[in-house]
Amino acid sequence: MQLNTFTPPETPAAHAARALAERYHSESMQNHVVRSWLWAEAFAVAEERSDIDHELLYVSALLHDIGIVPEFDNVQISYEEAGGHVAVALTTGAGWDAARSQRALEVIVRHNWPSVDPAMDAEGYLLEIGTALDISGARADVLPAEFIQEVLAEYPRLELAREFGDGVVDQAARKPHTSAHRLVEGGVVGKLANHPLERSPGFAGLSGPAAGSLRTAGSHPSPGRWPGSAPGSSAPAPCSAGTRRSRRRPR
């Protein structure tokens, strides 16, 4: 399993989700949503799950935290539900029918559930465990250590612990009836601060064979390369990585 194993869908909805996420997310949060998609796809491979709507999973992953940014924040509903409605609007504009657009809302909302039954919602399950790995380090030992290192080299964590932690704490304070309150009460800030993948160099938080592989793994991909592109090449503009360059979010 390698980074270029996974290629973003070349569809209007996928391009639009990528562009929207890049426009409104910080670099740290953009890297987080891309990693969450990669972890979700990798778990699908590890668990031999073949009946996956990859476009739905991609769009949902790229937009799963868009409800935290001020421009899409909602005064009443949870940030994941607000983000889900952004996905409904985006995918409807891209030509999805109402039922499929509703699935994007469901997948994004369910990523914040304590767990999701894959028999009920395979994409929701994969996004939940993918985001759980990126936020708390859950099940990191399931994926190949070299793959984890390759993803982190291309999409580093940067200030994710501080930015996401501050965002969820703010959501919980203003909307204590939402899942953000449960996350804060469950210690998400501490989980972020003590995330095994935050402990570089060497990613010492991993144990067993994974730790040794991470400390001795070989080459990294070239900076700025989107998954699926050839070494040293750049992705097409609609889906260019754009996450390793410092940039300001538009006001």
Side-chain angles (χ1 to χ4, degrees):
M1 185 184 296
Q2 295 179 318
L3 185 61
N4 62 11
T5 302
F6 306 105
T7 305
E10 290 292 336
T11 66
H15 291 166
R18 178 72 186 186
L20 188 68
E22 285 188 334
R23 176 165 182 168
Y24 288 99
H25 274 320
S26 69
E27 187 175 6
S28 298
M29 288 298 296
Q30 180 66 5
N31 283 2
H32 160 65
V33 300
V34 173
R35 285 195 310 271
S36 296
W37 165 66
L38 288 165
W39 305 144
E41 288 282 5
F43 278 122
V45 172
E47 297 181 2
E48 299 182 340
R49 297 185 180 278
S50 57
D51 190 18
I52 302 298
D53 185 333
H54 294 281
E55 183 186 23
L56 171 63
L57 181 58
Y58 178 83
V59 169
S60 300
L62 268 289
L63 299 179
H64 79 268
D65 280 337
I66 202 75
I68 286 182
V69 305
E71 292 85 348
F72 298 109
D73 187 23
N74 185 283
V75 298
Q76 180 65 24
I77 63 176
S78 67
Y79 73 86
E80 67 271 21
E81 186 175 355
H85 286 292
V86 172
V88 169
L90 182 145
T91 55
T92 299
W96 291 18
D97 62 29
R100 193 162 183 235
S101 290
Q102 179 68 19
R103 284 288 297 123
L105 170 62
E106 292 169 352
V107 171
I108 291 174
V109 167
R110 289 168 183 167
H111 97 270
N112 257 358
W113 285 11
S115 64
V116 180
D117 182 355
M120 176 190 72
D121 184 350
E123 293 80 16
Y125 163 77
L126 290 170
L127 187 56
E128 188 274 318
I129 62 175
T131 55
L133 189 160
D134 211 61
I135 295 301
S136 67
R139 301 182 62 184
D141 59 333
V142 173
L143 303 181
E146 294 87 350
F147 171 72
I148 291 176
Q149 185 186 44
E150 189 180 15
V151 171
L152 291 171
E154 188 76 5
Y155 301 102
R157 296 180 66 81
L158 304 177
E159 297 298 318
L160 176 66
R162 178 184 58 80
E163 291 183 18
F164 185 74
D166 288 351
V168 173
V169 168
D170 173 67
Q171 291 279 323
R174 292 188 292 110
K175 296 180 278 188
H177 58 284
T178 66
S179 61
H181 184 264
R182 173 180 57 80
L183 292 175
V184 171
E185 290 294 302
V188 68
V189 173
K191 291 175 182 177
L192 283 160
N194 295 298
H195 196 293
L197 303 184
E198 293 281 354
R199 302 174 189 174
S200 59
F203 310 104
L206 292 177
S207 60
S213 297
L214 282 171
R215 285 190 287 270
T216 59
S219 61
H220 299 321
S222 59
R225 181 163 56 83
W226 182 247
S229 63
S233 68
S234 298
C239 270
S240 61
T243 54
R244 293 181 62 86
R245 298 189 299 271
S246 297
R247 65 190 191 284
R248 296 179 183 272
R249 182 162 56 84
R251 297 292 181 184

